[in-house]
């Protein structure tokens, strides 16, 4: 698991705590936001495992019911299918939970926290510019009407591309991964589409600046 991927996740969780006036946050407050984000990640493992346990129990009950309560073959098949689906969900949650200890270990590393704070600093200092880039790249959307999680993921990616020297492809791929984890079913496609247009917007701005100079 890549340390910077965890840093981005910490930054995303930190942004959820950021006020509407981020420029008023000082370095100590940013560090505290990252600490809260680490604690949030720690809590996730317990929640994921508890949910997985409940889903396995429900799946087991469905299997038992298919043998004792089904009135015909069709209802029995339905119960078995539901049991399989619940078990698969539980397995997926356990898979995520297995990764979390490594995430927590990385999240407590100084360099990981430092990069999370660097992202938050860039957004705090350059949010007006970041949002201007996003406004130009959004089609039929207003930035203040976006789901907060999608808006925060987009801001992180733009901050990395425009101000932190991260290659466009890397920033976009990492934003898509964040959207798959935290946004809804269509969130990662939306994020991908917007960031492709962001890349064009940034490149055009850089070309114009070079021509003027």
């Amino acid at each position: 698991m890549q340390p910077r991927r965890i840093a981005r996740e910490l930054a995303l969780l930190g942004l959820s705590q950021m006020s509407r006036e981020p420029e008023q946050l000082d370095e100590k407050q940013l560090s505290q936001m990252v600490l809260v984000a680490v604690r949030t990640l720690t809590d996730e493992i317990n929640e994921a495992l508890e949910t997985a346990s409940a889903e396995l129990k429900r799946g087991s009950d469905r299997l038992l019911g298919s043998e004792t309560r089904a009135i015909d073959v069709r209802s029995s098949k339905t119960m078995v299918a539901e049991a399989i689906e619940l078990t698969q969900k539980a397995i997926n949650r356990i898979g995520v939970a297995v990764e979390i200890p490594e995430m927590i270990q990385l999240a407590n590393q100084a360099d990981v926290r430092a990069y999370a704070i660097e992202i938050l600093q860039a957004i705090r200092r350059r949010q007006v510019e970041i949002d201007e880039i996003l406004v130009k790249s959004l089609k039929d959307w207003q930035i203040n009407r976006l789901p907060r999680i999608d808006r925060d993921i987009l801001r992180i990616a733009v901050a990395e591309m425009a101000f932190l020297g991260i290659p466009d492809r890397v920033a976009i791929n990492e934003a898509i991964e964040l959207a798959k984890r935290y946004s809804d079913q269509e969130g990662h496609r939306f994020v991908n589409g917007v960031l492709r247009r962001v890349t064009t917007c940034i490149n055009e701005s850089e070309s114009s600046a070079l021509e003027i100079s």
Side-chain angles (χ1 to χ4, degrees):
M1 189 171 292
Q2 299 176 2
R4 283 202 168 184
R5 178 167 291 182
I6 304 304
R8 292 180 184 96
E9 192 158 346
L10 291 177
L12 180 63
L13 294 171
L15 281 175
S16 67
Q17 309 166 53
M18 190 173 282
S19 67
R20 292 188 177 183
E21 298 178 340
E23 67 280 356
Q24 295 183 1
L25 293 170
D26 58 27
E27 305 307 310
K28 184 177 179 180
Q29 289 170 316
L30 290 177
S31 296
Q32 183 63 31
M33 287 165 59
V34 172
L35 178 60
V36 172
V38 172
R39 291 172 179 164
T40 300
L41 278 180
T42 304
D43 290 341
E44 279 193 16
I45 188 168
N46 292 326
E47 183 179 346
L49 289 173
E50 287 174 3
T51 303
S53 176
E55 286 172 341
L56 284 172
K57 176 66 167 58
R58 287 167 58 200
S60 175
D61 290 344
R62 285 293 184 184
L63 279 175
L64 180 61
S66 70
E67 298 177 354
T68 60
R69 296 197 300 273
I71 59 176
D72 54 33
V73 173
R74 178 177 295 179
S75 62
S76 178
K77 286 183 176 179
T78 299
M79 287 183 175
V80 170
E82 290 174 350
I84 292 171
E85 182 180 356
L86 287 166
T87 302
Q88 185 61 56
K89 285 182 179 179
I91 290 170
N92 291 341
R93 290 185 190 278
I94 291 171
V96 172
V98 166
E99 293 180 350
I100 290 178
E102 183 183 0
M103 293 168 64
I104 301 305
Q105 183 179 7
L106 288 170
N108 281 298
Q109 291 183 4
D111 58 335
V112 172
R113 292 195 187 194
Y115 189 63
I117 292 172
E118 188 175 355
I119 293 172
L120 292 173
Q121 287 173 331
I123 294 173
R124 181 192 63 177
R125 295 169 180 167
R126 314 296 287 268
Q127 184 169 312
V128 172
E129 296 162 82
I130 290 168
D131 286 356
E132 285 176 353
I133 293 171
L134 285 172
V135 167
K136 292 177 183 177
S137 305
L138 289 167
K139 288 185 176 180
D140 303 321
W141 282 92
Q142 294 179 345
I143 191 167
N144 61 344
R145 299 293 296 274
L146 295 178
R148 173 153 191 169
I149 194 68
D150 291 347
R151 185 170 65 242
D152 288 346
I153 291 171
L154 290 170
R155 281 173 173 163
I156 289 172
V158 173
E160 288 197 301
M161 288 190 284
F163 304 113
L164 298 179
I166 301 299
D168 297 349
R169 180 177 57 82
V170 174
I172 292 172
N173 288 342
E174 292 300 317
I176 290 170
E177 290 303 313
L178 280 175
K180 286 179 179 178
R181 179 167 168 78
Y182 287 99
S183 188
D184 60 25
Q185 191 171 4
E186 296 298 318
H188 69 281
R189 295 187 180 90
F190 173 75
V191 165
N192 181 45
V194 174
L195 291 178
R196 298 293 177 188
R197 294 191 291 273
V198 164
T199 301
T200 301
C201 179
I202 292 175
N203 290 339
E204 288 176 350
S205 298
E206 290 176 350
S207 297
S208 299
L210 287 173
E211 290 174 2
I212 293 172
S213 62

